[in-house]
Amino acid sequence: MRLNLAPVCRPQQWKPLLTGGTARRSYAFQSGSLNFEVFNRRAKWLQKERAAANVEEGRQADYLKDEVAMRVCERILDVKRQFPRVLDLGANSCNIARALLRPDPDPESEPPVTDPLATKITELVAAESSHSLLHRDHDHPSLSTTHVPDFKLTRHVLEHDELLPFEPDSFDMVLSSMSMHWINDLPGVLSQINSVLKPDCPFIGAMLGGDTLYELRTSLQLAEQERKGGISPHVSPLADVRDVGGLLQRTGFKMLTVDVEDIVVDYPDMFALMQDLQAMGEGNAVLGREMGPIGRDVLLAGDAIYRALHGNEDGSIPATFRIIHMIGWKESPHQAQPLRRGSGQASLKDLLEGQ
């Protein structure tokens, strides 16, 4: 998918904002909590609070989170059941709620789905650590529930974004969109999600991963190597799709589905991209990162390298956001089970040869 966008604004000073690259994050699963941290939780909270303070700029920069939230919610169409109580973990500015309340979620299906997906849900608990971001659009028309009177949106501010303060077996579905790539203890959070789900209920999530923003990463690395003779750690480690599937399985989820898609967004220049990342609250929050703004000479060189290596013919530059989608179901004795190996009655070879 490719989106053509104009910059939100032009700042006076540029901060190190790279959120992803090919740096791979590996996980050694264990039953307890992890004893180390990759991301500075307070720095990430402050970034979200600052992003929420500029309401109009934040709303303009929500295009990516809104798009991913819609794609997460589209997967609910395949589940033919009602969900009395649903958790939106890492709700940001309630992007999931906005997608659920959108009319005509699947007009091209047969028959067309015209009712908002919120009609399948009684209560959505939007949980987020940033109070300002969670309540930013509390009076915005896109979150109005007047056309879905039986839908209730409950906002819950998390004291710790990696500790879920909910009772076991208390939700009929858990959703998460564009937030789990900032989790330090991803195995622990997935285990808690499995715990709060009722048996035979789904977790549907999406997070940044893999080669996200590889164009920006390589351009800044080459610019710093040229201007400073070294490379600073501007890249946050992101999970690979192979890690995600293994983690879901090890944390008790069944009937797994993991897939990847790239969303490519075109920007006028590298500075517009970096400004939008700041407005999204997606700044670099790695512990031990270089503090302060990136030098002007490095930024100018980086923009020139970006255009030379990755630029489009029309003068714009592409930025790739790799989205890892995941679905897992909490185990239940009533779930469909695979047949015993070797019990099949049809030959795959015969079926293929008959085509």
Side-chain angles (χ1 to χ4, degrees):
M1 175 183 180
R2 183 177 292 271
L3 303 175
N4 295 290
L5 300 159
V8 173
C9 66
R10 296 294 183 89
Q12 298 296 319
Q13 197 174 35
W14 302 102
K15 298 287 185 179
L17 298 166
L18 185 58
T19 64
T22 57
R24 183 181 172 190
R25 183 176 178 184
S26 299
Y27 297 92
F29 181 78
Q30 58 189 55
S31 57
S33 61
L34 298 181
N35 296 320
F36 64 90
E37 290 189 350
V38 178
F39 305 114
N40 186 322
R41 291 180 50 252
R42 176 164 176 78
K44 178 48 56 183
W45 175 82
L46 286 172
Q47 290 174 7
K48 290 183 176 183
E49 289 286 306
R50 290 166 183 161
N54 193 329
V55 176
E56 289 307 316
E57 181 179 340
R59 287 174 179 168
Q60 291 180 48
D62 258 356
Y63 52 85
L64 181 64
K65 292 183 178 180
D66 284 340
E67 178 66 31
V68 176
M70 285 191 292
R71 299 188 182 200
V72 169
C73 291
E74 285 174 356
R75 285 158 167 78
I76 303 175
L77 291 166
D78 298 324
V79 185
K80 307 302 182 183
R81 64 168 71 171
Q82 295 294 118
F83 302 96
R85 192 165 186 248
V86 176
L87 173 64
D88 175 12
L89 180 60
N92 293 306
S93 60
C94 297
N95 306 89
I96 286 283
R98 190 176 296 113
L100 291 172
L101 290 165
R102 181 174 61 101
D104 298 322
D106 192 9
E108 298 180 359
S109 65
E110 290 294 339
V113 179
T114 57
D115 292 334
L117 288 171
T119 57
K120 297 167 66 73
I121 297 170
T122 304
E123 180 186 14
L124 177 70
V125 179
E128 167 60 50
S129 60
S130 170
H131 179 279
S132 299
L133 187 59
L134 183 62
H135 290 83
R136 188 196 71 186
D137 296 336
H138 69 280
D139 57 350
H140 195 265
S142 64
L143 291 176
S144 172
T145 61
T146 54
H147 61 299
V148 190
D150 295 330
F151 175 78
K152 177 183 179 183
L153 174 60
T154 303
R155 293 176 173 85
H156 184 102
V157 179
L158 296 172
E159 295 184 8
H160 194 300
D161 53 7
E162 299 187 22
L163 298 176
L164 306 188
F166 306 108
E167 295 295 324
D169 302 331
S170 56
F171 289 98
D172 301 276
M173 179 168 60
V174 175
L175 303 172
S176 182
S177 177
M178 293 290 287
S179 63
M180 294 187 70
H181 52 276
W182 292 115
I183 296 295
N184 285 298
D185 182 11
L186 190 54
V189 170
L190 288 173
S191 293
Q192 293 177 70
I193 291 173
N194 190 281
S195 175
V196 301
L197 277 170
K198 296 177 182 178
D200 194 31
C201 287
F203 162 60
I204 305 175
M207 57 187 271
L208 292 177
D211 292 333
T212 292
L213 294 179
Y214 72 91
E215 304 97 338
L216 180 58
R217 176 187 62 85
T218 55
S219 300
L220 284 179
Q221 285 182 345
L222 291 172
E224 282 194 318
Q225 182 67 39
E226 176 189 346
R227 301 290 176 167
K228 300 172 66 176
I231 297 174
S232 301
H234 298 305
V235 179
S236 299
L238 293 173
D240 188 83
V241 63
R242 292 169 291 181
D243 298 321
V244 172
L247 289 176
L248 287 170
Q249 186 176 35
R250 292 172 184 174
T251 49
F253 287 98
K254 305 298 180 183
M255 299 192 297
L256 307 180
T257 302
V258 180
D259 60 278
V260 178
E261 66 175 339
D262 288 345
I263 297 179
V264 181
V265 183
D266 292 333
Y267 294 89
D269 50 45
M270 187 182 76
F271 305 107
L273 164 61
M274 298 176 76
Q275 174 60 12
D276 275 17
L277 291 175
Q278 187 176 41
M280 293 177 194
E282 293 294 321
N284 186 11
V286 175
L287 288 169
R289 67 195 184 282
E290 182 181 11
M291 305 302 291
I294 302 175
R296 178 180 176 85
D297 58 335
V298 173
L299 288 173
L300 292 174
D303 184 57
I305 293 171
Y306 203 132
R307 293 181 182 279
L309 293 181
H310 310 290
N312 299 319
E313 294 182 358
D314 62 358
S316 62
I317 60 169
T320 301
F321 298 89
R322 176 153 293 180
I323 312 299
I324 300 178
H325 291 276
M326 66 200 89
I327 301 176
W329 292 73
K330 184 168 181 176
E331 188 173 14
S332 167
H334 304 294
Q335 284 175 343
Q337 300 295 324
L339 294 175
R340 179 177 55 83
R341 185 167 184 171
S343 60
Q345 300 299 314
S347 170
L348 181 60
K349 178 182 177 182
D350 295 340
L351 291 174
L352 294 175
E353 290 178 348
Q355 292 182 353

Short mmCIF file of all heavy atoms in Angstrom, two decimals, residues 64-65 67-73 75 88-90 92 96 174-182 203-209 244 259 261 263 322-327:
data_model
loop_
_atom_site.label_atom_id
_atom_site.label_comp_id
_atom_site.label_asym_id
_atom_site.label_seq_id
_atom_site.Cartn_x
_atom_site.Cartn_y
_atom_site.Cartn_z
N LEU A 64 -1.36 6.81 10.00
CA LEU A 64 -0.82 5.45 10.01
C LEU A 64 -1.51 4.60 11.07
O LEU A 64 -1.93 3.46 10.80
CB LEU A 64 0.68 5.48 10.25
CG LEU A 64 1.37 4.11 10.27
CD1 LEU A 64 1.26 3.43 8.91
CD2 LEU A 64 2.83 4.24 10.68
N LYS A 65 -1.66 5.14 12.28
CA LYS A 65 -2.31 4.37 13.35
C LYS A 65 -3.78 4.11 13.03
O LYS A 65 -4.30 3.04 13.35
CB LYS A 65 -2.15 5.10 14.67
CG LYS A 65 -0.71 5.14 15.17
CD LYS A 65 -0.57 5.81 16.52
CE LYS A 65 0.88 5.78 16.97
NZ LYS A 65 1.08 6.43 18.30
N GLU A 67 -5.01 3.77 9.98
CA GLU A 67 -5.04 2.77 8.91
C GLU A 67 -4.79 1.37 9.47
O GLU A 67 -5.50 0.42 9.12
CB GLU A 67 -3.97 3.11 7.86
CG GLU A 67 -3.86 2.11 6.73
CD GLU A 67 -5.09 2.08 5.85
OE1 GLU A 67 -5.75 3.13 5.71
OE2 GLU A 67 -5.41 0.99 5.31
N VAL A 68 -3.80 1.23 10.34
CA VAL A 68 -3.51 -0.09 10.92
C VAL A 68 -4.67 -0.54 11.81
O VAL A 68 -5.04 -1.72 11.82
CB VAL A 68 -2.19 -0.05 11.70
CG1 VAL A 68 -1.94 -1.40 12.39
CG2 VAL A 68 -1.03 0.28 10.77
N ALA A 69 -5.26 0.39 12.57
CA ALA A 69 -6.40 0.03 13.42
C ALA A 69 -7.56 -0.50 12.58
O ALA A 69 -8.23 -1.47 12.96
CB ALA A 69 -6.85 1.24 14.23
N MET A 70 -7.81 0.10 11.43
CA MET A 70 -8.88 -0.39 10.55
C MET A 70 -8.58 -1.79 10.06
O MET A 70 -9.47 -2.65 9.98
CB MET A 70 -9.08 0.57 9.37
CG MET A 70 -9.80 1.86 9.74
SD MET A 70 -10.31 2.83 8.31
CE MET A 70 -8.72 3.35 7.65
N ARG A 71 -7.32 -2.06 9.75
CA ARG A 71 -6.95 -3.40 9.26
C ARG A 71 -7.05 -4.44 10.38
O ARG A 71 -7.39 -5.60 10.11
CB ARG A 71 -5.54 -3.36 8.67
CG ARG A 71 -5.44 -2.41 7.49
CD ARG A 71 -4.11 -2.51 6.79
NE ARG A 71 -4.04 -1.53 5.70
CZ ARG A 71 -3.19 -1.61 4.68
NH1 ARG A 71 -2.34 -2.62 4.60
NH2 ARG A 71 -3.19 -0.69 3.74
N VAL A 72 -6.75 -4.04 11.60
CA VAL A 72 -6.94 -4.95 12.73
C VAL A 72 -8.43 -5.27 12.90
O VAL A 72 -8.82 -6.43 13.06
CB VAL A 72 -6.37 -4.33 14.02
CG1 VAL A 72 -6.79 -5.14 15.25
CG2 VAL A 72 -4.84 -4.28 13.96
N CYS A 73 -9.25 -4.24 12.84
CA CYS A 73 -10.69 -4.45 13.06
C CYS A 73 -11.33 -5.23 11.92
O CYS A 73 -12.33 -5.93 12.14
CB CYS A 73 -11.38 -3.09 13.22
SG CYS A 73 -10.94 -2.24 14.76
N ARG A 75 -10.29 -7.83 10.67
CA ARG A 75 -10.15 -9.25 10.99
C ARG A 75 -11.28 -9.74 11.90
O ARG A 75 -11.51 -10.94 11.99
CB ARG A 75 -8.79 -9.50 11.61
CG ARG A 75 -7.66 -9.46 10.56
CD ARG A 75 -6.30 -9.17 11.14
NE ARG A 75 -5.24 -9.44 10.18
CZ ARG A 75 -4.91 -8.63 9.16
NH1 ARG A 75 -5.57 -7.50 9.00
NH2 ARG A 75 -3.93 -8.95 8.33
N ASP A 88 -8.82 -3.08 24.54
CA ASP A 88 -7.91 -2.48 23.57
C ASP A 88 -6.64 -2.10 24.33
O ASP A 88 -6.59 -1.09 25.04
CB ASP A 88 -8.56 -1.24 22.93
CG ASP A 88 -7.60 -0.50 21.99
OD1 ASP A 88 -6.54 -1.06 21.67
OD2 ASP A 88 -7.93 0.63 21.59
N LEU A 89 -5.61 -2.90 24.21
CA LEU A 89 -4.37 -2.71 24.97
C LEU A 89 -3.42 -1.81 24.19
O LEU A 89 -3.05 -2.09 23.06
CB LEU A 89 -3.71 -4.07 25.24
CG LEU A 89 -2.40 -4.03 26.03
CD1 LEU A 89 -2.61 -3.41 27.40
CD2 LEU A 89 -1.82 -5.44 26.16
N GLY A 90 -2.98 -0.71 24.84
CA GLY A 90 -2.16 0.27 24.16
C GLY A 90 -3.00 1.06 23.20
O GLY A 90 -2.72 1.14 21.99
N ASN A 92 -3.52 4.16 22.54
CA ASN A 92 -3.10 5.45 21.96
C ASN A 92 -4.24 6.45 22.08
O ASN A 92 -4.73 6.70 23.17
CB ASN A 92 -2.64 5.24 20.51
CG ASN A 92 -1.37 4.42 20.41
OD1 ASN A 92 -0.37 4.75 21.03
ND2 ASN A 92 -1.40 3.35 19.62
N ILE A 96 -8.51 2.25 17.71
CA ILE A 96 -9.34 1.05 17.54
C ILE A 96 -10.82 1.41 17.67
O ILE A 96 -11.66 0.98 16.87
CB ILE A 96 -8.95 -0.03 18.57
CG1 ILE A 96 -7.62 -0.68 18.19
CG2 ILE A 96 -10.05 -1.08 18.69
CD1 ILE A 96 -7.69 -1.68 17.06
N VAL A 174 -9.20 -9.50 23.02
CA VAL A 174 -8.19 -8.47 23.27
C VAL A 174 -7.66 -8.01 21.93
O VAL A 174 -7.29 -8.82 21.08
CB VAL A 174 -7.04 -8.99 24.15
CG1 VAL A 174 -5.95 -7.92 24.29
CG2 VAL A 174 -7.54 -9.39 25.53
N LEU A 175 -7.64 -6.68 21.73
CA LEU A 175 -7.10 -6.06 20.53
C LEU A 175 -5.90 -5.21 20.91
O LEU A 175 -5.84 -4.67 22.02
CB LEU A 175 -8.15 -5.18 19.85
CG LEU A 175 -9.47 -5.84 19.46
CD1 LEU A 175 -10.47 -4.79 18.97
CD2 LEU A 175 -9.24 -6.89 18.38
N SER A 176 -4.96 -5.08 20.00
CA SER A 176 -3.82 -4.19 20.22
C SER A 176 -3.31 -3.72 18.87
O SER A 176 -3.07 -4.54 17.98
CB SER A 176 -2.71 -4.89 21.00
OG SER A 176 -1.62 -4.01 21.24
N SER A 177 -3.13 -2.41 18.72
CA SER A 177 -2.69 -1.87 17.44
C SER A 177 -1.62 -0.81 17.66
O SER A 177 -1.84 0.18 18.37
CB SER A 177 -3.89 -1.25 16.69
OG SER A 177 -3.47 -0.66 15.49
N MET A 178 -0.45 -1.02 17.08
CA MET A 178 0.63 -0.05 17.03
C MET A 178 1.11 0.40 18.41
O MET A 178 1.35 1.58 18.66
CB MET A 178 0.19 1.17 16.21
CG MET A 178 -0.02 0.88 14.74
SD MET A 178 1.53 0.55 13.88
CE MET A 178 2.24 2.18 13.83
N SER A 179 1.27 -0.56 19.32
CA SER A 179 1.80 -0.20 20.64
C SER A 179 2.76 -1.25 21.19
O SER A 179 3.66 -0.92 21.97
CB SER A 179 0.66 0.02 21.64
OG SER A 179 -0.08 -1.17 21.83
N MET A 180 2.61 -2.50 20.79
CA MET A 180 3.39 -3.57 21.42
C MET A 180 4.86 -3.58 21.00
O MET A 180 5.66 -4.27 21.63
CB MET A 180 2.75 -4.93 21.12
CG MET A 180 1.37 -5.10 21.75
SD MET A 180 0.70 -6.76 21.57
CE MET A 180 1.78 -7.67 22.67
N HIS A 181 5.24 -2.81 19.98
CA HIS A 181 6.66 -2.75 19.62
C HIS A 181 7.47 -1.96 20.64
O HIS A 181 8.71 -1.94 20.56
CB HIS A 181 6.84 -2.16 18.21
CG HIS A 181 6.14 -0.86 17.99
ND1 HIS A 181 4.81 -0.78 17.64
CD2 HIS A 181 6.58 0.42 18.07
CE1 HIS A 181 4.46 0.48 17.50
NE2 HIS A 181 5.52 1.23 17.77
N TRP A 182 6.82 -1.30 21.61
CA TRP A 182 7.52 -0.59 22.68
C TRP A 182 7.55 -1.38 23.98
O TRP A 182 8.01 -0.87 25.00
CB TRP A 182 6.88 0.78 22.91
CG TRP A 182 7.05 1.73 21.78
CD1 TRP A 182 6.08 2.27 20.98
CD2 TRP A 182 8.29 2.28 21.30
NE1 TRP A 182 6.62 3.11 20.04
CE2 TRP A 182 7.98 3.14 20.22
CE3 TRP A 182 9.62 2.13 21.69
CZ2 TRP A 182 8.97 3.84 19.52
CZ3 TRP A 182 10.60 2.82 20.98
CH2 TRP A 182 10.26 3.67 19.92
N PHE A 203 -7.09 -13.12 20.58
CA PHE A 203 -6.26 -11.93 20.65
C PHE A 203 -5.89 -11.56 19.22
O PHE A 203 -5.39 -12.39 18.46
CB PHE A 203 -4.99 -12.19 21.47
CG PHE A 203 -3.89 -11.19 21.23
CD1 PHE A 203 -4.10 -9.84 21.49
CD2 PHE A 203 -2.66 -11.59 20.73
CE1 PHE A 203 -3.10 -8.91 21.25
CE2 PHE A 203 -1.65 -10.67 20.50
CZ PHE A 203 -1.87 -9.33 20.76
N ILE A 204 -6.16 -10.31 18.84
CA ILE A 204 -5.86 -9.81 17.50
C ILE A 204 -5.01 -8.56 17.65
O ILE A 204 -5.43 -7.59 18.27
CB ILE A 204 -7.14 -9.48 16.71
CG1 ILE A 204 -8.07 -10.70 16.65
CG2 ILE A 204 -6.81 -9.01 15.30
CD1 ILE A 204 -9.41 -10.43 15.98
N GLY A 205 -3.79 -8.61 17.12
CA GLY A 205 -2.89 -7.49 17.31
C GLY A 205 -2.09 -7.16 16.07
O GLY A 205 -2.01 -7.93 15.12
N ALA A 206 -1.49 -5.95 16.10
CA ALA A 206 -0.59 -5.51 15.02
C ALA A 206 0.46 -4.60 15.63
O ALA A 206 0.16 -3.76 16.49
CB ALA A 206 -1.37 -4.77 13.94
N MET A 207 1.70 -4.79 15.20
CA MET A 207 2.81 -3.99 15.72
C MET A 207 3.84 -3.77 14.62
O MET A 207 3.89 -4.51 13.64
CB MET A 207 3.46 -4.69 16.91
CG MET A 207 3.96 -6.09 16.59
SD MET A 207 4.55 -6.99 18.06
CE MET A 207 6.27 -6.49 18.06
N LEU A 208 4.66 -2.74 14.79
CA LEU A 208 5.76 -2.52 13.86
C LEU A 208 6.83 -3.57 14.09
O LEU A 208 7.07 -4.01 15.21
CB LEU A 208 6.36 -1.13 14.07
CG LEU A 208 5.49 0.07 13.70
CD1 LEU A 208 6.21 1.36 14.05
CD2 LEU A 208 5.13 0.06 12.23
N GLY A 209 7.49 -3.99 13.02
CA GLY A 209 8.53 -4.98 13.16
C GLY A 209 9.44 -5.02 11.95
O GLY A 209 9.27 -4.26 10.99
N VAL A 244 7.58 -13.58 16.62
CA VAL A 244 6.20 -13.38 17.07
C VAL A 244 5.44 -14.71 17.08
O VAL A 244 4.74 -15.03 18.04
CB VAL A 244 5.49 -12.35 16.17
CG1 VAL A 244 4.01 -12.28 16.51
CG2 VAL A 244 6.14 -10.99 16.35
N ASP A 259 1.01 -12.79 9.92
CA ASP A 259 1.35 -12.36 8.57
C ASP A 259 1.93 -10.95 8.61
O ASP A 259 1.83 -10.25 9.63
CB ASP A 259 0.12 -12.41 7.65
CG ASP A 259 -1.00 -11.51 8.13
OD1 ASP A 259 -1.77 -11.93 9.02
OD2 ASP A 259 -1.12 -10.39 7.61
N GLU A 261 2.67 -7.22 6.36
CA GLU A 261 2.38 -6.36 5.22
C GLU A 261 3.16 -5.06 5.36
O GLU A 261 3.43 -4.61 6.48
CB GLU A 261 0.88 -6.08 5.08
CG GLU A 261 0.28 -5.28 6.20
CD GLU A 261 -1.18 -4.94 5.94
OE1 GLU A 261 -1.61 -4.97 4.78
OE2 GLU A 261 -1.89 -4.64 6.93
N ILE A 263 3.35 -1.03 4.55
CA ILE A 263 2.65 0.20 4.18
C ILE A 263 3.73 1.23 3.83
O ILE A 263 4.55 1.58 4.68
CB ILE A 263 1.76 0.72 5.31
CG1 ILE A 263 0.65 -0.29 5.62
CG2 ILE A 263 1.15 2.07 4.95
CD1 ILE A 263 -0.27 0.13 6.75
N ARG A 322 6.66 -1.73 8.24
CA ARG A 322 6.33 -3.16 8.17
C ARG A 322 5.46 -3.52 9.36
O ARG A 322 5.86 -3.38 10.51
CB ARG A 322 7.59 -4.01 8.15
CG ARG A 322 7.32 -5.51 8.18
CD ARG A 322 8.43 -6.29 7.54
NE ARG A 322 8.50 -6.01 6.09
CZ ARG A 322 9.38 -6.58 5.28
NH1 ARG A 322 10.27 -7.43 5.76
NH2 ARG A 322 9.39 -6.28 3.99
N ILE A 323 4.26 -3.98 9.07
CA ILE A 323 3.28 -4.30 10.10
C ILE A 323 3.19 -5.82 10.27
O ILE A 323 2.96 -6.54 9.29
CB ILE A 323 1.88 -3.75 9.73
CG1 ILE A 323 1.98 -2.28 9.28
CG2 ILE A 323 0.94 -3.89 10.92
CD1 ILE A 323 2.52 -1.34 10.31
N ILE A 324 3.39 -6.29 11.49
CA ILE A 324 3.22 -7.70 11.81
C ILE A 324 1.84 -7.89 12.43
O ILE A 324 1.55 -7.33 13.49
CB ILE A 324 4.30 -8.21 12.77
CG1 ILE A 324 5.69 -8.04 12.15
CG2 ILE A 324 4.06 -9.68 13.13
CD1 ILE A 324 6.83 -8.49 13.07
N HIS A 325 0.97 -8.62 11.73
CA HIS A 325 -0.36 -8.94 12.25
C HIS A 325 -0.33 -10.30 12.91
O HIS A 325 0.32 -11.24 12.41
CB HIS A 325 -1.39 -8.95 11.11
CG HIS A 325 -1.66 -7.60 10.52
ND1 HIS A 325 -2.56 -6.72 11.07
CD2 HIS A 325 -1.12 -6.97 9.44
CE1 HIS A 325 -2.60 -5.62 10.35
NE2 HIS A 325 -1.72 -5.74 9.36
N MET A 326 -1.04 -10.43 14.01
CA MET A 326 -1.05 -11.70 14.75
C MET A 326 -2.44 -11.99 15.29
O MET A 326 -3.16 -11.08 15.71
CB MET A 326 -0.02 -11.66 15.88
CG MET A 326 -0.34 -10.65 16.97
SD MET A 326 1.08 -10.19 17.98
CE MET A 326 1.71 -8.80 17.03
N ILE A 327 -2.80 -13.25 15.26
CA ILE A 327 -4.06 -13.72 15.85
C ILE A 327 -3.75 -15.01 16.60
O ILE A 327 -3.08 -15.90 16.09
CB ILE A 327 -5.14 -14.00 14.79
CG1 ILE A 327 -5.44 -12.74 13.97
CG2 ILE A 327 -6.43 -14.50 15.45
CD1 ILE A 327 -6.43 -12.97 12.84
#
